[in-house]
């Protein structure tokens, strides 16, 4: 009961902060719409790049949302949460759920652009992709939490998280297929959790893509592992 | 209500707290007085369950486990701990939820506290629009929401102007009249310390002395006479039996009768004394007598 209430308090707060900043709301909605314009213009190999654009949107949104953890610490709010009786796991979950939900919603706005493409857009494909994006958002926010917890400035967070996530995204199969790569690149890709996020999204959107069962399992496993690290680190 | 036994904290090589012990009874307003860097904030962090001491133990409202202590403790930090982007009401609601309060119970308590702290007509304003004094009032309202047995305050009037400071202290005084709450407060300010029922003086991580402000001042007794001088050593050497203390341009004596002693000294040391100050001992004199340092 108290656990759920504490999670809800922190999740709700992420949304309250979000709504309170008009510029943030405007950017949140406008950037996917801008992307639609590009998609709608029929430019390039869209069917290949669209799933990558989905994971990229979720990735940047998750990263930026979790930057607030550093502000929470600097502004003192985090201290008042840490002296409260809320369990540490509830603090992590509340923060992660809020940031992940925002990242996921932005991903969904981009996903609506799928109707401009020749990718699958039947209800099963849409629901499956939405689920895949939610898993991706959770993984990326938990990883961002782990990084943000250890850093004291947003600049340092930016530097570290870009160093980790941007290469991971590039090696996720979003911009080139593993089939076309050298063996060692392929190996790197297969060790990269975002590769499985990308595979899972593709499994729903691309007609002849392989089944996403393994990818879903890897994503869930990685997220759980990162969550354990996050909770243990929260002192 | 709060009992601290031989708490020691080291930061690497440096010992921040050295076997600190103190007791604050139920309903007591207890001050921890000391200069900045004396260990007050470290002690606050330990009692707020944010820092585990290297040795020693403490109980708050009968609890020793951090998770249980947190339920009974209300904490006000030296710096702001509100979410500046949220309104007063949103901040209070989040706080209530974190302490397991919701529904009509939370609504009732919120209403009562906002009214008590004269915040009821501003509850939908974002915190960043509030003055420092008002934001401090929200902080204490927030800390009282779950009706803690002990209120822990870290230099609570930092950053407030004199009027807001006085108002805040009056608020705390009123509050203690209304409910049975033990207040433990760190401070380096004399007027704040004067308001406490009991004090623990902390210097360089050690407890120097403790007692009520009146008891502590009685330790010094009589008057305190301070001479401003260009030759402190000569002035001090004149009355070694009074255990003078001196700085670069002053010498300080404790004596039963300040006026007589000052006149005598001015005659005995022609040209050496530039200014004379006679006053009743303050907590600063108590601190000074015990440590040789100033607050």
């Amino acid at each position: 009961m108290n656990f759920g209430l504490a999670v809800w308090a922190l999740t709700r707060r992420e949304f309250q902060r979000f709504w309170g900043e008009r510029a943030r709301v405007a950017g949140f909605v406008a950037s996917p719409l801008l992307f639609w314009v590009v998609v709608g213009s029929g430019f390039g190999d869209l069917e290949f790049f669209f799933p990558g654009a989905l994971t990229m949107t979720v990735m940047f949104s998750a990263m930026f949302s979790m930057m607030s953890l550093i502000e929470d610490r600097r502004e003192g709010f985090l201290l008042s949460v840490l002296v409260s009786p809320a369990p540490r796991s509830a603090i992590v979950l509340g923060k992660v759920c809020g940031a992940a939900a925002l990242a996921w919603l932005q991903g969904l706005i981009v996903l609506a652009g799928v109707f401009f493409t020749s990718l699958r857009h039947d209800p099963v494909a849409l629901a499956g992709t939405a689920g895949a994006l939610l898993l991706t958002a959770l993984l990326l926010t938990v990883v961002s939490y782990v990084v943000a917890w250890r850093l004291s400035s947003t600049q340092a967070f930016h530097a570290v998280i870009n160093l980790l996530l941007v290469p991971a995204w590039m090696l996720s199969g979003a911009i080139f297929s593993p089939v076309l790569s050298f063996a060692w690149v392929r190996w790197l890709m297969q060790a990269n959790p975002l590769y499985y996020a990308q595979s899972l999204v593709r499994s729903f959107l691309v007609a002849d893509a392989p089944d996403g069962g393994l990818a879903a399992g890897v994503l869930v496993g990685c997220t759980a592992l990162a969550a354990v690290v996050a909770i243990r680190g929260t002192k | 209500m709060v009992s601290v036994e031989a708490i020691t904290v080291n930061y690497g090589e440096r010992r921040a707290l050295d076997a600190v012990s103190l007791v604050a009874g139920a309903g007591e307003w207890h001050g921890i007085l000391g200069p900045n860097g004396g260990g007050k904030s470290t002690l606050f962090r330990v009692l707020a369950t944010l820092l585990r001491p290297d040795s020693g133990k403490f109980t708050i409202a009968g609890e020793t486990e951090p998770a249980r202590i947190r339920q009974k403790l209300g904490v006000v930090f030296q710096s702001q701990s509100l979410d500046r982007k949220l309104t007063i009401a949103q901040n209070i609601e989040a706080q209530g939820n974190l302490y397991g309060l919701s529904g009509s119970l939370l609504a009732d308590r919120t209403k009562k506290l906002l009214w008590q702290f004269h915040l009821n007509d501003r509850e939908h304003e974002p915190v960043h629009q509030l003055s420092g004094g008002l934001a401090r009032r929200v902080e204490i309202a927030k800390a009282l929401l779950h009706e803690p047995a002990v209120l822990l305050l870290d230099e609570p009037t930092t950053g407030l102007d004199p009027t807001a400071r006085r108002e805040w202290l009056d608020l705390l005084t009123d509050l203690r009249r209304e409910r049975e709450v033990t207040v433990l407060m760190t401070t380096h300010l004399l007027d704040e310390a004067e308001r406490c029922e009991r004090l623990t003086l902390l210097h360089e991580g050690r407890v120097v002395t403790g007692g009520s402000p009146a008891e502590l001042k009685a330790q010094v007794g009589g008057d305190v006479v301070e001479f401003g001088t260009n030759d402190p050593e000569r002035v001090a050497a004149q009355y070694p039996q009074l255990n003078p203390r001196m700085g670069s341009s002053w010498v300080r004596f404790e004596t039963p009768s300040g006026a007589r002693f000052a006149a005598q000294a001015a005659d005995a040391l022609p040209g050496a004394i530039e200014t004379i100050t006679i006053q009743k001992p303050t907590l600063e004199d108590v601190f000074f007598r015990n440590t040789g340092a100033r607050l």
Side-chain angles (χ1 to χ4, degrees):
Chain A
M1 152 69 180
N2 284 358
F3 181 89
L5 202 55
V7 172
W8 168 234
L10 294 175
T11 301
R12 182 187 59 216
R13 170 175 169 264
E14 294 297 317
F15 278 87
Q16 287 169 333
R17 285 170 66 93
F18 173 74
W19 274 122
E21 279 186 288
R22 295 289 164 235
R24 198 173 157 201
V25 177
F28 184 90
V29 178
S31 62
L33 294 186
L34 208 61
F35 179 73
W36 286 4
V37 174
V38 179
V39 175
S41 71
F43 164 80
D45 189 3
L46 273 174
E47 277 63 37
F48 183 78
F49 287 115
F50 190 78
L54 285 174
T55 51
M56 185 180 73
T57 303
V58 170
M59 176 176 78
F60 280 115
S61 196
M63 277 162 52
F64 287 131
S65 294
M66 202 41 96
M67 210 143 66
S68 67
L69 184 64
I70 293 167
E71 289 165 21
D72 290 350
R73 189 192 293 280
R74 202 174 42 212
E75 288 173 6
F77 180 80
L78 189 63
L79 274 182
S80 71
V81 175
L82 288 175
V83 298
S84 82
R88 283 4 191 186
S89 49
I91 296 174
V92 175
L93 201 62
K95 198 73 200 162
V96 163
C97 282
L102 283 170
W104 181 58
L105 286 175
Q106 203 176 18
L108 291 186
I109 303 179
V110 176
L111 178 61
V114 76
F115 293 101
F116 295 117
T117 71
S118 60
L119 291 165
R120 280 179 60 190
H121 43 68
D122 53 285
V124 176
L126 290 179
T129 309
L133 291 179
L134 184 58
L135 274 180
T136 308
L138 284 170
L139 172 68
L140 289 167
T141 34
V142 179
V143 168
S144 301
Y145 181 102
V146 171
V147 174
W149 185 265
R150 284 160 178 75
L151 299 174
S152 58
S153 79
T154 49
Q155 288 86 350
F157 175 74
H158 235 273
V160 173
I161 205 83
N162 275 331
L163 186 69
L164 279 176
L165 291 188
V166 173
W169 179 78
M170 290 202 279
L171 286 174
S172 70
I175 41 180
F176 56 87
S177 161
V179 186
L180 306 172
S181 313
F182 292 117
W184 66 271
V185 176
R186 218 160 32 234
W187 182 84
L188 260 181
M189 288 170 91
Q190 282 165 1
N192 170 14
L194 277 189
Y195 169 75
Y196 298 93
Q198 196 62 40
S199 306
L200 191 58
V201 170
R202 297 188 86 85
S203 76
F204 290 106
L205 287 180
V206 180
D208 54 353
D211 175 72
L214 169 73
V218 173
L219 271 187
V220 171
C222 288
T223 308
L225 194 70
V228 171
V229 175
I231 293 165
R232 298 193 121 198
T234 302
K235 284 179 193 148
Chain B
M1 190 49 73
V2 178
S3 136
V4 176
E5 279 176 61
I7 293 265
T8 296
V9 173
N10 300 311
Y11 291 134
E13 294 280 291
R14 196 172 76 79
R15 179 152 289 191
L17 288 180
D18 191 359
V20 167
S21 299
L22 66 89
V23 176
E28 184 173 298
W29 186 352
H30 194 109
I32 298 165
L33 176 68
N36 291 328
K40 298 190 304 290
S41 286
T42 303
L43 182 58
F44 171 85
R45 286 176 61 80
V46 169
L47 297 178
T49 71
L50 290 170
L51 178 68
R52 211 177 273 271
D54 293 303
S55 64
K57 56 183 178 177
F58 64 100
T59 58
I60 291 179
E63 305 292 354
T64 52
E65 281 299 307
R68 299 180 67 90
I69 287 174
R70 287 173 191 143
Q71 194 67 253
K72 298 192 172 172
L73 192 62
V75 185
V76 176
F77 295 93
Q78 184 174 352
S79 52
Q80 203 175 80
S81 74
L82 299 165
D83 187 328
R84 296 170 49 78
K85 288 183 180 152
L86 265 48
T87 64
I88 294 178
Q90 288 171 334
N91 267 291
I92 301 261
E93 188 185 14
Q95 172 85 359
N97 292 163
L98 288 172
Y99 282 80
L101 303 172
S102 61
S104 58
L105 179 65
L106 177 59
D108 287 349
R109 286 203 192 164
T110 304
K111 208 170 148 194
K112 224 178 279 174
L113 279 168
L114 290 180
W115 185 82
Q116 184 182 0
F117 290 88
H118 310 294
L119 294 162
N120 42 332
D121 53 341
R122 311 192 63 168
E123 58 180 315
H124 298 300
E125 280 183 36
V127 168
H128 68 82
Q129 285 180 7
L130 305 180
S131 69
L134 214 54
R136 281 272 111 184
R137 269 195 262 161
V138 182
E139 294 273 357
I140 192 162
K142 189 178 103 151
L144 290 168
L145 199 57
H146 61 290
E147 302 192 336
V150 176
L151 200 54
L152 185 63
L153 315 166
D154 189 18
E155 310 235 1
T157 62
T158 302
L160 295 188
D161 60 50
T163 314
R165 237 162 63 78
R166 207 168 34 247
E167 275 175 13
W168 204 90
L169 289 170
D170 290 343
L171 192 80
L172 200 59
T173 309
D174 290 346
L175 182 76
R176 296 191 53 265
R177 241 176 257 139
E178 284 161 29
R179 50 177 102 192
E180 171 92 351
V181 60
T182 305
V183 178
L184 202 61
M185 173 174 105
T186 69
T187 183
H188 68 277
L189 300 169
L190 293 176
D191 57 337
E192 259 173 47
E194 288 280 358
R195 296 236 193 167
C196 297
E197 286 159 326
R198 291 182 68 78
L199 290 167
T200 296
L201 270 55
L202 208 58
H203 180 57
E204 292 178 347
R206 291 202 184 93
V207 172
V208 175
T209 183
S212 72
E215 281 165 14
L216 290 170
K217 284 187 282 191
Q219 285 181 4
V220 179
D223 295 324
V224 173
V225 179
E226 185 174 309
F227 296 121
T229 170
N230 51 23
D231 192 354
E233 277 167 24
R234 182 174 153 220
V235 177
Q238 186 76 20
Y239 304 100
Q241 72 280 11
L242 291 177
N243 294 320
R245 301 182 190 279
M246 61 178 167
S248 57
S249 63
W250 53 267
V251 185
R252 214 168 157 90
F253 298 93
E254 292 163 18
T255 168
S257 168
R260 202 163 29 191
F261 171 70
Q264 220 176 62
D267 283 343
L269 295 158
I273 294 172
E274 289 163 348
T275 62
I276 299 173
T277 314
I278 303 170
Q279 58 186 23
K280 286 290 166 198
T282 64
L283 288 169
E284 172 136 39
D285 296 309
V286 176
F287 192 80
F288 190 75
R289 182 192 174 99
N290 283 284
T291 64
R294 297 197 140 186
L295 275 168

